[in-house]
Amino acid sequence: MGSEANVPHIFFFPFMAHGHMIPTVDMAKLFASRGLKTTIVTTPLNESFISKPIQRTKNLGLEINIKILKFPTVEAGLPEGCENLDFITSQNMDMEIVNKFLKAIALLQEPLEKLLSACRPDCLVADMFFPWATEASSKFRIPRLVFHGTSFFSLCATISVVLHEPHKKVASDSEPFIVPNLPGDIKLSGQQLPGFMREDGSYVAKFMEASIKSELTSFGVLANSFYELEPTYADHYKNVLGRRAWHIGPVSLCNRDMEDKARRGKEASIDEHECLKWLNSKKPNSVVYLCFGTIANFTASQLKEIAMALESSGQEFIWVVRKNKNPEEDNQDWLPEGFEERIEGKGLIIRGWAPQVMILDHEALGGFVTHCGWNSTLEGIAAGVPMVTWPVGAEQFYNEKLVTEVLKIGVSVGVQHWTVYGDSIKRECIEKAIIRIMEGAEAEEMRSKTKKLGKMAREAVEDGGSSFCDFNALIHELTFNYH
């Protein structure tokens, strides 16, 4: 191939959202650790989120760089500084801004093509949210790999629902249906499907359709998963649905030392040493960790229900609460009176960003209340921690089914509606679900299963493991078979 000394040069182009950028940085580090030259393409304001972990990797002697594309905020009619989905979700997910953001993404095609023309990488790993990247890279005979950042299970479920539209063949949005042509007789309802699937003709719906089509004409798909976790669905995706795919995960396991785990993603809102000191004072499997990602935007009343459930459950906990960026709403009304005084020493509230992998990997962790974003789900599995599932958006209801019905390593809190503002769940349901994963025989059985999966995850990325071998096969194909 055309790189210096026959070392392939891989470009990575993540979608501008933390849940997409974090695993992409991990992937770039993974490729660099195998001796490949890697470059991450991003925008000016997003560079600050990835520059520190990239510099730490470069300090180890690995070749990993950053290229910057100007983000077309003005051209798309976006407010200044709106270069990341986090900006939009902090403004209560205004759909007009979402549409403008997606239009700005489309305007990146021409500058990306200029960059590809100038640098001539040997492969482009571009996020699913850049459907035009397949066309852009093909102009220069550069293979494009799609990065979805989700499970094989949810990829299969998405394709089945898009192709067969089972939600249109039932009487109402609340009536369950079996997802057709998907192993396992998985039941969902229309109100649990991503919004774009119920909005024919919308800009987002057309965008997602283009994304699904572009993977068919791409070189293939990179999956942040491992074969032993979901073999039926990995096989179904490749053999029945006819997709070329390589599983190389869990990519989070490339972060081996404490600093890499603690500094992954944004700057943590708590000192990692303080956090570790607190965890070190707890017994094994005694702490429940609650975190709902960067998109969910719970109401004050829902946060209060969670607080009361935590207190009445009697469990020790770490609770990550997203900072509301509207100063008028940034008050303590979401906490019951005297709550923080009563839980002192027993509970730790982190307002903002938490060093999640570091926390999950600690022996004190016994359970994880999660929104079922795939990064969080896979990090929980890799750490061997059973889950309470609380999906809010994206493909999270699919991931919930994988956790609760296929793997049987978690229990649902009872959410029925796809909404980034969070379904209204009462404290009794939250408390019951937390106790189920923390106490008793059922909890022990789930913990045992999850720890076995965690061991399989670590073995998958080691020399000779399933992800290690699939990764080698991909590199071989890119290096010797493409040109």
Side-chain angles (χ1 to χ4, degrees):
M1 298 183 77
S3 300
E4 292 175 15
N6 293 320
V7 175
H9 184 189
I10 315 295
F11 263 30
F12 293 87
F13 191 28
F15 183 61
M16 295 79 184
H18 297 299
H20 295 245
M21 293 170 68
I22 290 170
T24 302
V25 170
D26 285 342
M27 277 196 299
K29 288 164 64 175
L30 185 62
F31 275 73
S33 72
R34 298 289 189 92
L36 280 69
K37 183 180 178 183
T38 61
T39 298
I40 299 176
V41 180
T42 190
T43 66
L45 289 183
N46 287 297
E47 182 191 13
S48 62
F49 299 127
I50 65 172
S51 55
K52 285 183 181 176
I54 295 304
Q55 189 55 52
R56 282 198 301 277
T57 305
K58 289 181 79 165
N59 292 343
L60 297 173
L62 303 180
E63 189 155 9
I64 183 165
N65 295 291
I66 301 173
K67 293 278 187 187
I68 303 296
L69 295 181
K70 179 183 175 295
F71 194 80
T73 43
V74 175
E75 296 87 334
L78 287 166
E80 188 181 345
C82 184
E83 290 186 23
N84 190 290
L85 202 62
D86 191 44
F87 180 98
I88 299 169
T89 56
S90 70
Q91 308 297 312
N92 289 327
M93 209 68 178
D94 184 323
M95 280 313 295
E96 185 183 347
I97 295 184
V98 170
N99 288 339
K100 286 179 178 177
F101 190 77
L102 293 177
K103 283 170 183 171
I105 294 296
L107 291 173
L108 288 169
Q109 179 171 353
E110 187 180 337
L112 178 69
E113 287 180 6
K114 287 180 180 175
L115 190 61
L116 293 174
S117 177
C119 299
R120 297 287 172 151
D122 298 303
C123 177
L124 171 66
V125 178
D127 198 279
M128 61 167 286
F129 280 106
F130 306 125
W132 42 264
T134 301
E135 178 195 344
S137 58
S138 68
K139 291 179 182 178
F140 309 100
R141 297 198 70 238
I142 297 168
R144 183 262 172 121
L145 285 163
V146 182
F147 179 60
H148 276 282
T150 191
S151 60
F152 280 116
F153 178 89
S154 78
L155 290 173
C156 294
T158 299
I159 292 167
S160 292
V161 172
V162 167
L163 287 178
H164 302 287
E165 299 185 324
H167 53 295
K168 295 183 179 178
K169 297 166 186 170
V170 288
S172 71
D173 261 2
S174 59
E175 186 179 333
F177 56 80
I178 292 176
V179 180
N181 192 32
L182 183 71
D185 288 341
I186 303 299
K187 284 186 178 179
L188 286 165
S189 68
Q191 61 196 12
Q192 294 174 318
L193 297 179
F196 79 87
M197 289 185 173
R198 292 173 278 130
E199 299 165 4
D200 289 342
S202 72
Y203 188 83
V204 176
K206 289 174 183 173
F207 189 90
M208 294 305 294
E209 284 166 19
S211 173
I212 291 169
K213 285 177 184 172
S214 78
E215 78 179 38
L216 286 169
T217 53
S218 72
F219 188 71
V221 171
L222 275 188
N224 182 18
S225 187
F226 60 103
Y227 185 75
E228 294 80 2
L229 181 67
E230 41 176 351
T232 301
Y233 301 99
D235 291 340
H236 185 79
Y237 187 69
K238 296 174 189 178
N239 303 331
V240 178
L241 299 176
R243 264 62 171 179
R244 279 164 56 81
W246 294 266
H247 48 85
I248 63 168
V251 297
S252 64
L253 291 177
C254 75
N255 300 285
R256 301 197 179 240
D257 66 39
M258 192 57 73
E259 186 179 14
D260 279 342
K261 291 177 184 179
R263 305 289 169 88
R264 193 164 168 263
K266 289 166 70 175
E267 194 72 32
S269 305
I270 186 172
D271 178 79
E272 66 261 28
H273 302 294
E274 179 192 335
C275 190
L276 275 176
K277 184 180 176 184
W278 191 91
L279 283 165
N280 288 340
S281 70
K282 306 302 175 186
K283 293 177 183 174
N285 304 321
S286 67
V287 176
V288 62
Y289 171 67
L290 299 87
C291 183
F292 300 96
T294 56
I295 303 297
N297 220 344
F298 287 164
T299 61
S301 61
Q302 182 64 83
L303 292 173
K304 192 173 276 190
E305 292 291 319
I306 295 171
M308 289 187 285
L310 281 170
E311 190 171 2
S312 56
S313 75
Q315 305 298 319
E316 298 188 291
F317 64 87
I318 295 178
W319 181 17
V320 183
V321 182
R322 192 162 173 260
K323 277 184 179 172
N324 196 317
K325 294 187 180 175
N326 182 345
E328 293 176 13
E329 296 178 24
D330 190 15
N331 54 45
Q332 301 302 305
D333 288 346
W334 51 275
L335 284 177
E337 190 174 344
F339 177 79
E340 289 192 272
E341 290 77 15
R342 293 193 301 276
I343 58 101
E344 190 173 352
K346 190 162 190 174
L348 186 62
I349 298 176
I350 301 175
R351 293 167 172 82
W353 190 269
Q356 180 160 294
V357 168
M358 185 193 84
I359 292 170
L360 287 171
D361 279 351
H362 198 282
E363 66 172 5
L365 254 287
F368 181 16
V369 181
T370 174
H371 66 305
C372 300
W374 185 240
N375 293 327
S376 291
T377 303
L378 196 55
E379 287 157 19
I381 289 167
V385 181
M387 289 166 249
V388 169
T389 57
W390 190 325
V392 295
E395 87 297 1
Q396 294 158 14
F397 277 95
Y398 300 148
N399 293 335
E400 176 183 54
K401 294 290 181 182
L402 176 66
V403 168
T404 59
E405 295 184 19
V406 178
L407 301 174
K408 296 181 168 55
I409 55 168
V411 297
S412 172
V413 80
V415 180
Q416 296 300 321
H417 298 88
W418 191 99
T419 166
V420 294
Y421 303 111
D423 213 347
S424 182
I425 303 294
K426 294 297 180 188
R427 74 194 78 166
E428 294 81 8
C429 297
I430 304 166
E431 179 189 350
K432 183 181 176 184
I434 288 172
I435 290 172
R436 278 183 68 187
I437 63 160
M438 294 299 289
E439 296 178 5
E442 184 186 20
E444 283 306 310
E445 187 181 345
M446 283 189 286
R447 189 165 293 116
S448 174
K449 281 182 185 174
T450 319
K451 288 197 183 300
K452 283 176 187 170
L453 288 172
K455 184 171 182 284
M456 289 180 197
R458 292 187 295 278
E459 289 171 348
V461 299
E462 297 295 341
D463 195 344
S466 58
S467 292
F468 186 95
C469 292
D470 228 22
F471 187 58
N472 279 354
L474 170 64
I475 293 173
H476 185 273
E477 189 161 350
L478 287 172
T479 307
F480 299 108
N481 298 347
Y482 187 72
H483 283 297

